[in-house]
Amino acid sequence: MKIGMAGTGRMGAAIAQRLAGRGHQVTVWNRTADKARALGLPVVEDPAGLLEASEIIISILTDASAIETVYSKLLSGDVRRKLFIEMSTVRPETERKLADKVRAKGAALVECPVGGTVGPAKEGKLFGFAGGEAADIARARPLLDQMCRRVEHVGPVGAGAAMKLAINLPLMVFWQAFGEALSLCEPLGIDPARLMDIFADTSGGPNVLKVRGPAIAAALAGKDPGGATFNVDSIRKDLRTMLEEARALGRELPVTQRALECFDRAAGNGLGAADAATLPASWLRSQAK
Ligand SMILES: NC(=O)c1ccc[n+]([C@@H]2O[C@H](COP(=O)([O-])OP(=O)(O)OC[C@H]3O[C@@H](n4cnc5c(N)ncnc54)[C@H](OP(=O)(O)O)[C@@H]3O)[C@@H](O)[C@H]2O)c1
């Protein structure tokens, strides 16, 4: 299948590589062209260039403003009968407004924000929260199944975004909760790797500890936890998006609000581009007497 990828950041690059590895003809575009060129796939200079090369265009971009910028160029071309698969983590209304614009141009849009990070994206093991019309989802399904270990069609466009924000909330606040938990047992002087092993075997340890435990232990031991797969600035973006959505729904998210304040402080101390795994260690350092 001929696929266009708009945005080859960490996730877009991994997904493009995965689909190219499954035999698809993948053409890529990225605002910072060097990142697109590094993939060794055909590159176009402008988002609209993807339209000539592809039947299906996938986007996974930072936020609503990036979507606005990129789609204003994509939708300036002839998009009739194309299918767009939008995978960014944004508010439901962003996807709904975009779907309306896409439909008005004679094309279709499915949203499918994902759980899982760069490793699962490369292996086709994401969890997709799909929103859209049944016929459009059916068209996207063969590709979604190659990107994801599980795809749940949770409702019309916007439903996927709502689910993605919901599943990310406990994970995002976990990074703060875990720093606080460790502050209670830090005086015991237990080796960080052993601590991760203990927590991961209890109800106090979520799934992410199995994957990121070694990186968290490295950060606690004052070592380099490795490259960032999901950085602190991305967490702050997601928390702000959750809070905006909650305000629109008339709901309160006090724990989310406080976690954002703590992570804003970490970013103020230079951790914005660091991996989430550094947050518990950073909290412990901030508490040191
Ligand atoms: N990383 C993860 O583990 C993960 C997991 C699930 C979901 N997500 C979500 O997936 C999305 C992408 O995340 P990521 O980690 O891949 O981020 P990233 O590495 O920072 O990539 C962001 C992408 O958006 C592009 N972009 C940003 N602003 C733009 C603008 N104004 N105009 C055009 N392009 C713009 C970037 O282009 P440049 O390269 O030019 O900056 C890049 O291609 C986010 O919504 C994130 O929440 C991430």
Side-chain angles (χ1 to χ4, degrees):
M1 189 166 276
K2 293 178 176 171
I3 298 165
M5 174 63 71
T8 56
R10 282 178 294 259
M11 292 297 281
I15 290 169
Q17 284 168 321
R18 163 74 184 168
L19 293 176
R22 304 297 290 179
H24 297 288
Q25 289 176 44
V26 182
T27 303
V28 294
W29 170 84
N30 196 54
R31 178 181 61 176
T32 309
D34 285 352
K35 284 194 210 168
R37 287 193 202 106
L39 295 173
L41 296 168
V43 178
V44 290
E45 297 302 317
D46 186 82
L50 293 175
L51 300 173
E52 277 173 42
S54 344
E55 301 149 39
I56 297 186
I57 293 106
I58 300 173
S59 56
I60 181 153
L61 302 157
T62 306
D63 54 16
S65 130
I67 288 177
E68 168 84 37
T69 306
V70 173
Y71 274 83
S72 69
K73 292 177 188 151
L74 277 172
L75 296 180
S76 67
D78 181 4
V79 296
R80 280 171 298 172
R81 290 178 293 282
K82 305 275 184 202
L83 174 67
F84 293 88
I85 303 180
E86 211 307 296
M87 303 180 73
S88 317
T89 302
V90 289
R91 285 187 58 196
E93 70 164 31
T94 303
E95 300 289 12
R96 281 194 291 265
K97 282 182 186 163
L98 180 63
D100 288 345
K101 284 188 200 165
V102 168
R103 244 178 258 125
K105 294 273 181 178
L109 181 135
V110 160
E111 60 165 351
C112 192
V114 288
T117 182
V118 175
K122 283 186 181 157
E123 293 167 11
K125 290 188 177 157
L126 296 165
F127 192 134
F129 302 98
E133 301 291 326
D136 300 333
I137 298 277
R139 204 173 149 199
R141 191 93 201 189
L143 275 189
L144 297 180
D145 283 341
Q146 290 182 346
M147 295 185 248
C148 303
R149 66 178 169 82
R150 177 168 174 178
V151 177
E152 284 287 325
H153 180 199
V154 289
V157 171
M163 274 307 293
K164 167 64 185 169
L165 290 178
I167 64 124
N168 255 23
L169 191 154
L171 173 60
M172 302 293 117
V173 302
F174 164 76
W175 295 111
Q176 177 60 23
F178 196 46
E180 295 180 21
L182 292 178
S183 72
L184 299 181
C185 59
E186 188 186 30
L188 304 179
I190 296 174
D191 172 67
R194 188 172 161 217
L195 264 184
M196 294 309 109
D197 184 48
I198 293 171
F199 266 89
D201 197 24
T202 72
S203 305
N207 222 13
V208 69
L209 270 193
K210 295 192 185 87
V211 188
R212 302 303 289 154
I216 303 168
L220 289 170
K223 296 179 193 151
D224 179 5
T229 58
F230 195 71
N231 67 28
V232 173
D233 283 343
S234 300
I235 290 183
R236 293 165 63 224
K237 184 271 293 183
D238 279 6
L239 292 173
R240 284 194 301 269
T241 311
M242 288 165 201
L243 288 163
E244 283 166 23
E245 185 62 14
R247 263 194 297 279
L249 294 171
R251 309 284 162 99
E252 285 183 32
L253 306 180
V255 173
T256 308
Q257 177 70 54
R258 187 70 185 107
L260 175 60
E261 287 161 15
C262 295
F263 300 157
D264 283 346
R265 201 162 69 186
N269 290 332
L271 277 189
D275 192 82
T278 59
L279 282 169
S282 146
W283 179 255
L284 289 184
R285 274 198 309 277
S286 78
Q287 298 292 295
K289 295 275 180 284

